[in-house]
Amino acid sequence: MLGKKLVTAQKRGETRALCLGLGMVTCSMMMYFFIGITVVPFYTKSVWTTETVCKVLKANIKDKVLCPNSEGSEDEDIFPYPCLQVWVNLTASGQEVMLYQTEDTLERNPKCSYVPGKSENSKEVKARIETIASNFKKYQTFPCYYDPGGTQTNVILSRLYPPKGLLFAFLWPTLMFTGGCLIIVLVKISQYVSVLSAWQ
């Protein structure tokens, strides 16, 4: 009687462990799919792939020309803000080009180097933009990214999804997939050993 109870408990434990492993594998595959349709397209779409050194030529804040937060947007929370324009000397080609914060900045407003997020306090936004401009004037040389193919003549300060970020995004689903597969393999080995012991 006790032996039957132990066998039943063992089978239940194996079933739960097997369900856990299959669940982990399923969740990891869903995460792979989600990353594949969200992060990967932005990574492959970016043409600013080569890192070089940029030297600041001028950083101006156009107080009289206020840029909209997003062209064609009907969002009521959007407010005008001072337009920061940073021009740099591209070391790779020696050209004078405009610097943008990220790829998204160019799409949201090609006239400004920096596009702030939504905020109700315009004074804080203005102070932040002035701080960024002063930092550019203080640190004249810094790494930036440009398009080696020449499709885009401008440069960006940082990529939204760099290679390290893409690898980090795939790290967790990979660990979950590996853990799930490992649990399934251990359960199968345990079942095989149990069957082998019972046969002997």
Side-chain angles (χ1 to χ4, degrees):
M1 187 69 180
L2 182 61
K4 290 183 178 180
K5 290 183 178 180
L6 290 174
V7 171
T8 303
Q10 182 180 6
K11 288 183 177 179
R12 288 178 179 175
E14 290 176 349
T15 302
R16 292 174 181 174
L18 191 61
C19 290
L20 175 63
L22 291 174
M24 291 175 66
V25 171
T26 304
C27 289
S28 64
M29 296 304 292
M30 292 176 63
M31 292 174 67
Y32 277 129
F33 177 75
F34 179 76
I35 295 172
I37 63 175
T38 55
V39 178
V40 174
F42 285 104
Y43 175 79
T44 56
K45 183 181 176 182
S46 178
V47 295
W48 296 271
T49 56
T50 306
E51 184 175 350
T52 185
V53 177
C54 289
K55 184 177 181 181
V56 176
L57 297 176
K58 53 185 176 181
N60 301 325
I61 299 177
K62 295 186 176 297
D63 293 322
K64 296 181 180 180
V65 181
L66 300 180
C67 304
N69 198 350
S70 181
E71 294 183 358
S73 177
E74 298 178 356
D75 194 341
E76 295 179 355
D77 297 333
I78 290 174
F79 59 94
Y81 56 91
C83 182
L84 172 64
Q85 293 183 344
V86 180
W87 293 88
V88 297
N89 184 12
L90 187 60
T91 305
S93 61
Q95 296 177 336
E96 180 180 340
V97 295
M98 189 168 178
L99 174 74
Y100 295 93
Q101 184 184 12
T102 61
E103 300 96 329
D104 185 56
T105 307
L106 179 62
E107 293 182 0
R108 292 175 63 186
N109 194 341
K111 296 180 181 179
C112 304
S113 298
Y114 173 76
V115 177
K118 293 182 180 179
S119 176
E120 296 179 357
N121 194 337
S122 58
K123 292 183 179 179
E124 291 182 359
V125 173
K126 185 178 180 180
R128 190 184 310 119
I129 292 176
E130 290 177 351
T131 302
I132 294 172
S134 63
N135 287 336
F136 276 119
K137 294 177 181 178
K138 182 179 180 180
Y139 302 100
Q140 292 285 317
T141 305
F142 51 88
C144 59
Y145 295 90
Y146 75 101
D147 175 18
T151 307
Q152 294 287 343
T153 56
N154 42 56
V155 295
I156 60 173
L157 181 62
S158 59
R159 300 181 65 182
L160 283 174
Y161 300 103
K164 291 182 179 179
L166 190 65
L167 291 175
F168 184 78
F170 279 106
L171 175 63
W172 295 111
T174 301
L175 291 177
M176 184 178 292
F177 180 80
T178 304
C181 291
L182 184 61
I183 290 175
I184 294 173
V185 170
L186 290 177
V187 170
K188 292 299 182 180
I189 291 175
S190 176
Q191 291 176 345
Y192 175 76
V193 171
S194 298
V195 172
L196 188 62
S197 298
W199 181 76
Q200 290 179 350

